[in-house]
Amino acid sequence: MAVKQDGAKSIRSLSKGRAGRLPLVGGRLCLNFVNTSSGRGTPARKEHLTSYHDLLAWSHHAGALDATVTLALAALAGRQAQAARRTLSKAIKLRESLFAIVTGLARRQPPAPAALEELNGFLAASYRAACLAQDGHGFRWIWRLDTLRLDLPVWIIARSASEVLTGEPLERLKSCAGLDCGWVFLDATRNGRRRWCEMEVCGSRAKMRRYRHRHQSRAARISTAHA
């Protein structure tokens, strides 16, 4: 138990930001990964992946990596700092390609060819790092971990994206309607009318803005009537 607690503490210490604590509201790993940034193109832009260790903290938090692999990759990144920075750049490039694809689909537009080409490049690399293994009476993909690679989180996220794009109802891919948000999600509600990444956050903010607008409009009408 002490070992597990020490491991959990070490993982928590990987990131000084929110990467390891971000809400996982996207419904799928790759969509949650897109949500490691918000407010793209606005002054409210927030970036939660500022180091390779942020990527590791998020990957463990999101269930992509177990504690043993996470800490092994952190140690490898310490020995290969330049390669770790390059891997972070790859991860962000993949994330922005996924953002372009998903938000395009949410608007019922075909994905940009450049974004799809980027994703296919990551997928090709991921398949070279995986192999089929027998699992009971069937087979499943497993990752070759005999030689640990810094790119492993990127490959896992890319594979998640391929599963979403080939196996999920694309009309259920949506962008949050919140002002300056930009988070994405798979709408799993029965009626398909989900609008917000989190009702308690973006939904509540929109409700408050409508409330203030109504009261400001009412005050303006009263002021005009008494002028």
Side-chain angles (χ1 to χ4, degrees), residues 11-111:
I11 291 170
R12 285 196 299 271
S13 69
L14 287 176
S15 174
K16 294 180 174 61
R18 293 185 62 213
R21 299 181 283 110
L22 288 171
L24 303 174
V25 298
R28 296 294 183 271
L29 178 71
C30 62
L31 303 180
N32 285 323
F33 183 61
V34 171
N35 297 342
T36 56
S37 180
S38 59
R40 290 172 175 82
T42 76
R45 174 74 184 262
K46 292 181 181 179
E47 174 59 72
H48 297 288
L49 300 182
T50 60
S51 70
Y52 182 76
H53 282 178
D54 285 338
L55 175 63
L56 290 181
W58 179 86
S59 297
H60 179 263
H61 168 59
L65 300 175
D66 65 24
T68 300
V69 173
T70 301
L71 294 176
L73 285 172
L76 181 60
R79 298 191 299 271
Q80 301 180 9
Q82 189 173 355
R85 288 192 291 271
R86 288 197 299 268
T87 302
L88 175 66
S89 296
K90 291 180 192 176
I92 291 176
K93 183 178 290 188
L94 171 61
R95 186 189 67 190
E96 297 308 299
S97 295
L98 292 177
F99 173 76
I101 292 170
V102 174
T103 54
L105 291 171
R107 294 191 295 266
R108 305 297 182 262
Q109 297 173 356

Side-chain angles (χ1 to χ4, degrees), residues 130-167:
C131 61
L132 280 176
Q134 193 163 9
D135 184 13
H137 296 293
F139 292 83
R140 63 185 177 93
W141 286 104
I142 63 170
W143 301 100
R144 295 189 177 98
L145 297 179
D146 49 336
T147 302
L148 206 57
R149 296 284 299 276
L150 294 171
D151 287 340
L152 181 59
V154 180
W155 295 334
I156 293 172
I157 294 161
R159 187 67 62 84
S160 168
S162 73
E163 292 167 354
V164 168
L165 294 176
T166 60

Side-chain angles (χ1 to χ4, degrees), residues 181-227:
C181 178
W183 277 19
V184 299
F185 55 88
L186 183 70
D187 184 354
T189 61
R190 181 174 297 180
N191 60 15
R193 294 183 179 178
R194 179 179 168 188
R195 297 187 61 205
W196 316 105
C197 61
E198 293 181 280
M199 183 62 204
E200 299 81 1
V201 181
C202 284
S204 293
R205 289 172 182 168
K207 185 177 180 180
M208 184 59 65
R209 282 194 297 271
R210 290 194 299 270
Y211 174 83
R212 287 198 299 263
H213 177 74
R214 286 196 303 270
H215 280 258
Q216 288 168 358
S217 298
R218 181 172 179 270
R221 288 196 300 271
I222 292 172
S223 176
T224 300
H226 288 81

